[in-house]
Amino acid sequence: MSRSWRQHKGVAVPLYRKDIDTDQILPKQFMKKVERSGFGKHLFHNWRYLDEEGEKENPDFVLNESRYRNASVLIAGENFGCGSSREHAPWSLADFGFHAIVAPSFADIFFGNCAKNGIALIKLSFQEVEEILRYVTDNEGAELGIDLETLVVFAGDKEYHFTLSESLADRIRNGWDDIDLTMKFLSKIEKFESSLF
């Protein structure tokens, strides 16, 4: 069972670069574990730290700024999550505490992997993303509100409507992963299995 949520309000951090791939989100040397926990420390590792061990922070990286340390909404550029299809990148985003990512576009496989891990990917137009970006950078500690029931982002006094398939929205609202979805059909599975013997 993944994290579930229907409404969220949290500090938004701008990382407005395009084509951020899964190896930049979580470098390959940290993909040795199979459990989902503990990856948040290594999120954007090569950008966040000046050393391989992750002991010396890069003061120029946005997540190391005091106002963004507890961010739970990420504002990114187009084609976020491109690259390999490994699920470790969403694990690291979820483990860090991100609930949603706002961007003009996302890689397809990454889209599904994020929903499995309780992260809503919110696709808005370039103009809308840039408006939100300005709001966040101009107002220290600015929070975004996200409602998965009405599919609306709230930024100050503005509302931005987005689309998300019902199946992906349901995954996040209920915290379902693939096993949870399979278990919904447990009685049918057991009935089929019993018919074999």
Side-chain angles (χ1 to χ4, degrees):
M1 178 82 64
S2 301
R3 166 184 61 191
S4 62
W5 60 276
R6 292 171 183 262
Q7 286 87 29
H8 176 73
K9 187 174 185 181
V11 172
V13 57
L15 188 59
Y16 199 55
R17 308 178 188 183
K18 71 175 188 174
D19 300 323
I20 294 177
D21 66 36
T22 51
D23 288 326
Q24 292 166 320
I25 296 169
L26 184 73
K28 61 184 180 300
Q29 66 265 33
F30 302 111
M31 297 184 186
K32 297 172 185 173
K33 298 194 306 176
V34 292
E35 65 273 14
R36 298 182 186 189
S37 61
F39 287 103
K41 172 178 171 51
H42 306 297
L43 177 68
F44 301 121
H45 184 93
N46 294 339
W47 295 340
R48 280 172 70 195
Y49 303 106
L50 298 174
D51 61 328
E52 186 61 31
E53 296 72 31
E55 301 296 332
K56 189 174 181 183
E57 290 185 347
N58 176 2
D60 296 325
F61 186 60
V62 67
L63 275 181
N64 293 331
E65 294 181 30
S66 58
R67 63 174 171 166
Y68 296 127
R69 284 189 181 273
N70 296 315
S72 58
V73 181
L74 180 67
I75 305 168
E78 62 186 297
N79 200 29
F80 187 85
C82 57
S84 79
S85 60
R86 292 182 293 244
E87 203 170 344
H88 296 72
W91 291 353
S92 67
L93 288 158
D95 192 58
F96 184 87
F98 282 110
H99 283 64
I101 303 170
V102 177
S105 60
F106 299 93
D108 289 341
I109 296 175
F110 183 77
F111 211 106
N113 283 341
C114 279
K116 292 177 191 177
N117 290 281
I119 303 170
L121 298 190
I122 298 169
K123 183 179 175 181
L124 296 175
S125 70
F126 281 99
Q127 180 181 344
E128 290 172 322
V129 173
E130 288 175 356
E131 281 182 10
I132 292 173
L133 193 67
R134 282 193 297 274
Y135 169 72
V136 168
T137 54
D138 290 347
N139 298 278
E140 184 165 347
E143 293 183 321
L144 295 185
I146 297 155
D147 191 324
L148 286 184
E149 302 289 355
T150 58
L151 302 181
V152 176
V153 175
F154 301 92
D157 58 358
K158 288 198 169 185
E159 297 182 4
Y160 301 87
H161 295 262
F162 64 96
T163 60
L164 188 64
S165 74
E166 192 63 22
S167 63
L168 293 181
D170 265 349
R171 277 184 179 269
I172 300 167
R173 292 172 192 147
N174 297 290
W176 290 334
D177 59 18
D178 288 341
I179 294 172
D180 297 313
L181 290 176
T182 302
M183 294 303 288
K184 290 172 65 179
F185 301 98
L186 182 60
S187 61
K188 291 183 178 180
I189 294 169
E190 289 174 339
K191 182 177 180 182
F192 173 76
E193 287 177 340
S194 65
S195 71
L196 299 176
F197 303 103

